């Protein structure tokens, strides 16, 4: 059993610690500092949040997506074929992203995440996983003014992100996580997801994961078992229906077990976490388990996020299977 | 009162001196009395500006409020607290509250400032409340563990405040629910909670809703328990009007239609605004149509806000003259 993060980490701490990244972005916007100076602050904050995840006791960390405005634009604006438009709500959260608009054929131009991965790996004592927003979710959360049909857009994105995954592996990434929360809102598109993920991860020599959040995978979990990935991440907080889904399938992969609520400050008692781990062990053995928050941690204040991760690690310890 | 009344949605920009004073207060460099003095000064400027522009129904400007949820959360000291900063988008963060205990009304939260503002003008000043659904949706919940329970408990708190406002003389009570269109499956809960606030209240009740996919929840929105719906239109190309037209027999309310985009520095031309008003008049009679900006103007500069309100008033006057509406 290993403990990991599902994605993002809060970018700024609360008083009395200074909100350095927020201040740096504001200064860059005013023209007081250069893009390079801002990038240096982003690097420093990335080092901080990697260290916080390690301090909490995680076995596998992320770079916290410190440089990302949101899960969509960071990738879309660096691909060919997109323009970035107005703010739109991200699922049912009180957070917003700028909606990408597809105006031309989607193509990969150059590495998007490679430098970020290399930087994180160089500054982490723990293994780092690379995060990519998946082709289905990128398509579903964008506006399409070019293809006129979701399938060709999703497949074009799968091809573009295949190039990115290859570049990440070439840079040494040993774990690649593809985020596909949108598929839970469009389960009828399971076969299209399968086609896209198969294309994207074809020949990718790394541990691969597909993560979902904000709902349950009941109804498409058998299809997820057939995907060419090693890990399936499920959110058991927003999606208690995942317990039912587990009963109906032979869970043959590693489970990314999302159990602490990354959208609420209530601190789960470590015993409650341990009980959940006991419960899931009926379906998935401990050696095939990642335990992680229900989704990215950016919905929480920084200090709460860190405390939650510590609770998670403590819960795992109490469950009697300390990570090795 | 005649038809085609002009109004504002709620917030107005804080003058520079007040923004500075709020920062100074937060870090303990000035005391509450000093901040209150400047807040009232700014509120008086808001009233004067709206009278000068010629609005019919005024707002007090919300000079005393930072965030529309945190403002109330900080006054509900026995049941709510502020957790810390959470990012909303880009480089924007908000101080997200937590429900820590059983919600209950502790005392007036909005009466003083409303009464002060209304005392400065003969025109009606809207009383502004944040709705129960939005209060809960934009807070963490460490107490109830059930969205429904928390929202209905919050509704009773907001109801009590609304009653106090009516007692103080408010003729318009606006209960803002910007979070309402987030989850179509919870629209009945939005409506139930809003009903607790507005049922039998002796005032004209309004709700402002924004940022949403209205088409999927239009039936619910059209039947919310308020007298007036205040909806953004300019930002969405007036698509909402088509929905109202399609469901005309179902839509019995007054509509305050937003005719200027509050998220854009660019000032709409008088002709653009007039075109928007005329579109509204194709769907609703003037006595059921109010004209206002899409949303609160607090993110604009003072001059931009004043200019946007002025173009609304001028365009409305011209349309009224042309169509001989009084």
């Amino acid at each position: 059993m290993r403990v990991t993060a599902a994605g993002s980490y809060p970018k700024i701490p609360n008083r009395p610690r200074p909100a350095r990244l927020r201040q740096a972005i504001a200064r860059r916007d005013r023209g007081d500092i250069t893009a390079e100076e801002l990038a240096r602050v982003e690097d420093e904050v990335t080092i901080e949040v990697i260290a916080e995840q390690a301090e909490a006791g995680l076995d596998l960390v992320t770079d916290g997506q410190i440089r990302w405005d949101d899960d969509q634009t960071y990738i879309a604006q660096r691909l060919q074929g997109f323009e970035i438009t107005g703010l739109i709500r991200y699922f049912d959260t009180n957070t917003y992203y700028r909606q990408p608009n597809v105006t031309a054929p989607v193509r990969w131009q150059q590495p998007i995440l490679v430098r970020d991965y290399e930087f994180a790996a160089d500054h982490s004592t723990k293994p780092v996983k690379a995060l990519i927003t998946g082709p289905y979710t990128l398509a579903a959360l964008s506006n399409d003014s070019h293809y006129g049909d979701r399938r060709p857009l999703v497949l074009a994105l799968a091809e573009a992100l295949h190039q990115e995954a290859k570049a990440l592996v070439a840079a040494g990434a040993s774990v690649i996580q593809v985020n596909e929360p949108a598929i839970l809102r469009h389960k009828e598109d399971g076969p299209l997801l399968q086609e896209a993920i198969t294309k994207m991860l074809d020949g990718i020599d790394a541990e691969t994961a597909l993560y979902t959040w904000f709902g349950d995978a009941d109804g498409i979990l058998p299809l997820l078992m057939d995907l060419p990935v090693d890990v399936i991440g499920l959110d058991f907080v927003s999606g208690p229906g995942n317990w039912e889904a587990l009963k109906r399938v032979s869970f043959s992969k590693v489970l990314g077990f999302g159990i602490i609520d990354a959208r609420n400050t209530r601190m789960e008692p470590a015993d409650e976490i341990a009980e959940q781990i006991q419960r899931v062990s009926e379906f998935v053995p401990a050696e095939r388990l990642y335990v992680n928050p229900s989704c990215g941690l950016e919905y929480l204040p920084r200090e709460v996020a860190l405390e939650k991760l510590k609770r998670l690690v403590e819960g795992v310890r109490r469950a009697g299977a300390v990570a090795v | 009162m005649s038809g085609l009344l002009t109004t504002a949605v709620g917030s107005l920009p804080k003058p520079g001196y007040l923004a500075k004073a709020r920062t100074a207060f937060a870090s303990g460099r000035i005391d509450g009395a000093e901040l209150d003095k400047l807040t009232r000064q700014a509120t008086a400027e808001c009233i004067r500006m709206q009278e000068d522009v010629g609005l019919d129904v005024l707002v007090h400007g919300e000079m005393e409020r930072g965030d529309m949820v945190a403002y109330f959360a900080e006054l509900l000291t026995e049941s709510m607290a502020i957790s810390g900063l959470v990012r909303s988008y880009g480089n924007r963060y908000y101080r997200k509250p937590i429900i820590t205990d059983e919600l209950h009304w502790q005392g007036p939260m909005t009466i003083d400032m409303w009464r002060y503002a209304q005392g400065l003008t003969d025109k009606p000043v809207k009383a502004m409340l944040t709705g129960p659904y939005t209060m809960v949706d934009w807070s963490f919940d460490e107490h109830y563990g059930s969205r429904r329970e928390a929202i209905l408990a919050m509704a009773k708190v907001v109801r009590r405040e609304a009653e106090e406002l009516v007692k103080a003389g408010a003729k318009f009570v606006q209960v803002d629910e910007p979070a309402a269109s987030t989850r179509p499956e919870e629209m009945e809960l939005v409506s139930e909670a809003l009903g607790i606030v507005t049922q039998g209240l002796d005032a004209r009740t309004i709700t402002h809703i924004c940022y949403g996919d209205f088409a999927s929840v239009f039936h619910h929105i059209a039947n919310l328990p308020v007298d007036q719906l205040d909806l953004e239109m300019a930002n969405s190309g007036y698509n909402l009007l088509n929905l109202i037209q399609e469901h005309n027999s179902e839509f019995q309310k007054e509509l305050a239609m937003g005719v200027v985009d509050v998220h854009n520095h660019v000032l709409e031309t008088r002709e653009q605004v007039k075109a928007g008003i005329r579109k509204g008049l194709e769907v609703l009679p003037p006595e059921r149509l109010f004209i206002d900006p899409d949303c609160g103007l607090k993110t604009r500069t003072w001059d931009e806000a004043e200019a946007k309100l002025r173009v609304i008033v001028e365009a409305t006057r011209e349309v009224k003259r042309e169509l001989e509406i009084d």
Side-chain angles (χ1 to χ4, degrees):
Chain A
M1 192 173 355
R2 288 162 291 177
V3 187
T4 189
S8 62
Y9 197 82
K11 293 176 176 30
I12 62 166
N14 282 278
R15 284 179 187 165
R17 291 196 289 169
R20 293 173 51 231
L21 182 57
R22 188 185 192 189
Q23 288 155 6
I25 293 171
R27 294 179 65 199
R28 189 272 320 265
D29 290 348
R30 286 198 303 267
D32 295 347
I33 64 169
T34 63
E36 290 70 33
E37 287 171 299
L38 172 60
R40 262 205 301 281
V41 176
E42 289 171 340
D43 283 349
E44 287 163 21
V45 173
T46 299
I47 293 171
E48 266 171 40
V49 306
I50 287 173
E52 282 189 27
Q53 293 171 75
E55 174 203 335
L58 265 54
D59 304 298
L60 176 64
V61 303
T62 74
D63 72 351
Q65 297 179 277
I66 293 306
R67 302 173 184 84
W68 299 44
D69 248 12
D70 59 71
D71 277 14
Q72 288 66 242
T73 53
Y74 194 73
I75 294 183
Q77 69 192 1
R78 290 166 178 83
L79 293 171
Q80 207 173 74
F82 282 97
E83 63 176 32
I84 305 301
T85 66
L87 290 171
I88 184 168
R89 193 189 294 275
Y90 183 65
F91 295 101
D92 63 352
T93 67
N94 187 25
T95 63
Y96 300 80
Y97 67 98
R98 293 197 183 277
Q99 192 176 37
N101 181 28
V102 186
T103 56
V106 170
R107 287 200 189 89
W108 185 82
Q109 308 177 93
Q110 62 205 10
I112 299 167
L113 304 165
V114 167
R115 190 264 167 195
D116 296 352
Y117 169 76
E118 288 172 338
F119 181 86
D122 285 350
H123 291 87
S124 178
T125 55
K126 302 284 183 178
V128 174
K129 65 177 164 184
L131 308 170
I132 309 182
T133 308
Y136 187 82
T137 294
L138 265 183
L141 299 188
S142 295
N143 182 54
D144 173 19
S145 304
H146 176 75
Y147 288 92
D149 181 22
R150 186 164 287 177
R151 186 166 182 278
L153 170 58
V154 171
L155 296 179
L157 277 162
E159 175 54 36
L161 298 177
H162 174 65
Q163 302 298 322
E164 186 64 25
K166 272 202 308 196
L168 281 165
V169 171
S174 57
V175 185
I176 294 180
Q177 174 177 316
V178 182
N179 296 326
E180 288 285 15
I183 195 62
L184 302 184
R185 310 288 170 114
H186 303 276
K187 288 175 180 170
E188 70 284 1
D189 277 342
L192 175 56
L193 174 80
Q194 185 167 20
E195 195 179 347
I197 295 298
T198 303
K199 192 179 179 96
M200 176 181 169
L201 298 179
D202 180 40
I204 294 302
D205 184 19
E207 179 180 298
T208 54
L210 183 131
Y211 268 65
T212 62
W213 49 76
F214 302 167
D216 66 64
D218 201 15
I220 54 162
L221 198 51
L223 181 136
L224 298 184
M225 288 302 103
D226 286 338
L227 293 181
V229 297
D230 305 303
V231 185
I232 293 292
L234 303 175
D235 170 356
F236 287 76
V237 176
S238 292
N242 278 322
W243 289 110
E244 281 303 306
L246 276 186
K247 286 182 193 163
R248 287 198 266 274
V249 73
S250 168
F251 201 95
S252 52
K253 297 192 184 291
V254 176
L255 172 63
F257 185 39
I259 46 167
I260 54 163
D261 191 346
R263 292 179 60 181
N264 196 3
T265 49
R266 186 186 82 92
M267 283 295 163
E268 290 84 352
D271 284 342
E272 186 181 304
I273 297 165
E275 274 166 35
Q276 301 256 63
I277 294 168
Q278 289 295 334
R279 185 177 172 195
V280 84
S281 66
E282 291 170 34
F283 305 98
V284 187
E287 64 271 20
R288 280 200 277 121
L289 212 55
Y290 276 115
V291 181
N292 49 253
S294 59
C295 58
L297 290 162
E298 248 209 298
Y299 306 102
L300 296 170
R302 172 94 157 252
E303 296 73 17
V304 176
L306 175 59
E307 182 59 27
K308 286 235 175 194
L309 288 181
K310 289 179 177 169
R311 286 290 177 101
L312 191 61
V313 171
E314 173 61 20
V316 168
R317 189 173 291 129
R318 287 202 199 170
V322 182
V324 285
Chain B
M1 269 185 245
S2 52
L4 280 189
L5 297 182
T6 54
T7 185
V9 173
S11 65
L12 293 174
K14 292 185 177 63
Y17 66 82
L18 182 60
K20 279 197 198 108
R22 289 174 64 86
T23 307
F25 176 74
S27 52
R29 283 180 280 123
I30 64 169
D31 64 12
E34 176 67 12
L35 179 63
D36 186 61
K37 196 184 99 200
L38 295 172
T39 302
R40 282 169 199 268
Q41 181 185 327
T43 304
E45 286 168 18
C46 289
I47 296 292
R48 206 151 51 232
M49 184 267 273
Q50 294 172 89
E51 286 203 313
D52 180 50
V53 164
L55 285 185
D56 299 307
V57 179
L58 311 192
V59 295
H60 78 287
E62 302 179 22
M63 295 296 114
E64 77 286 16
R65 304 181 196 178
D67 176 288
M68 63 185 287
V69 172
Y71 173 76
F72 291 96
E74 284 181 307
L75 293 169
L76 294 168
T77 51
E78 291 162 13
S79 51
M80 296 189 82
I82 302 294
S83 69
L85 288 166
V86 174
R87 201 164 66 97
S88 170
Y89 65 90
N91 205 28
R92 295 248 175 182
Y93 290 77
Y94 67 108
R95 299 164 61 238
K96 189 161 177 170
I98 318 176
I99 300 168
T100 55
D101 209 333
E102 195 80 28
L103 289 162
H104 60 103
W105 187 83
Q106 292 171 230
M109 296 179 274
T110 59
I111 311 299
D112 271 2
M113 204 50 73
W114 178 81
R115 194 178 267 144
Y116 172 71
Q118 184 63 81
L120 299 169
T121 177
D122 293 333
K123 296 197 169 163
V125 176
K126 294 199 273 190
M128 309 297 306
L129 296 170
T130 303
Y133 186 85
T134 299
M135 281 295 300
V136 172
D137 192 51
W138 292 0
S139 299
F140 296 118
D141 170 27
E142 296 186 3
H143 178 75
Y144 289 94
S146 148
R147 289 175 60 80
R148 184 184 160 77
E149 270 183 52
I151 289 163
L152 296 183
M154 185 66 82
K156 291 186 188 130
V157 175
V158 182
R159 165 73 190 199
R160 176 68 195 275
E161 187 68 15
E163 285 173 358
E164 297 288 326
L165 282 162
V166 172
K167 250 190 261 173
K171 299 284 180 257
F172 292 81
V173 175
Q174 180 168 320
V175 186
D176 287 338
E177 286 287 19
S181 54
T182 312
R183 296 177 194 79
E185 70 278 13
E186 286 189 351
M187 276 308 294
E188 281 179 30
L189 179 55
V190 172
S191 189
E192 183 181 354
L194 198 52
I196 290 173
V197 180
T198 59
Q199 208 71 55
L201 202 66
D202 188 18
R204 183 125 53 150
T205 55
I206 306 168
T207 189
H208 172 71
I209 300 179
C210 51
Y211 304 119
D213 172 16
F214 291 117
S216 61
V217 292
F218 185 80
H219 166 77
H220 290 288
I221 289 180
N223 290 291
L224 285 174
V226 289
D227 302 314
Q228 183 180 124
L229 285 177
D230 186 338
L231 305 174
E232 62 172 17
M233 302 260 174
N235 191 29
S236 57
Y238 298 93
N239 289 332
L240 261 172
L241 279 177
N242 299 332
L243 278 173
I244 292 174
Q245 189 146 37
E246 277 168 41
H247 302 81
N248 215 330
S249 59
E250 191 186 354
F251 190 84
Q252 303 297 333
K253 300 184 192 311
E254 296 173 350
L255 174 72
M257 62 179 286
V259 293
V260 297
D261 186 354
V262 299
H263 302 296
N264 200 325
H265 297 282
V266 178
L267 178 63
E268 285 78 0
T269 65
R270 205 181 297 175
E271 285 310 314
Q272 281 173 321
V273 176
K274 283 168 70 178
I277 297 168
R278 287 201 200 92
K279 278 190 193 129
L281 284 168
E282 286 169 23
V283 179
L284 290 173
E287 61 274 16
R288 276 171 59 204
L289 204 56
F290 284 59
I291 308 299
D292 67 0
D294 267 358
C295 201
L297 285 162
K298 72 175 176 187
T299 58
R300 298 275 60 83
T301 65
W302 182 270
D303 288 345
E304 285 168 355
E306 181 172 356
K308 291 214 175 218
L309 291 175
R310 198 175 290 281
V311 74
I312 285 174
V313 170
E314 288 171 355
T316 304
R317 281 185 184 153
E318 283 186 21
V319 170
K320 284 168 90 163
R321 207 157 38 234
E322 285 163 21
L323 300 179
E324 297 180 356
I325 298 164
D326 181 40

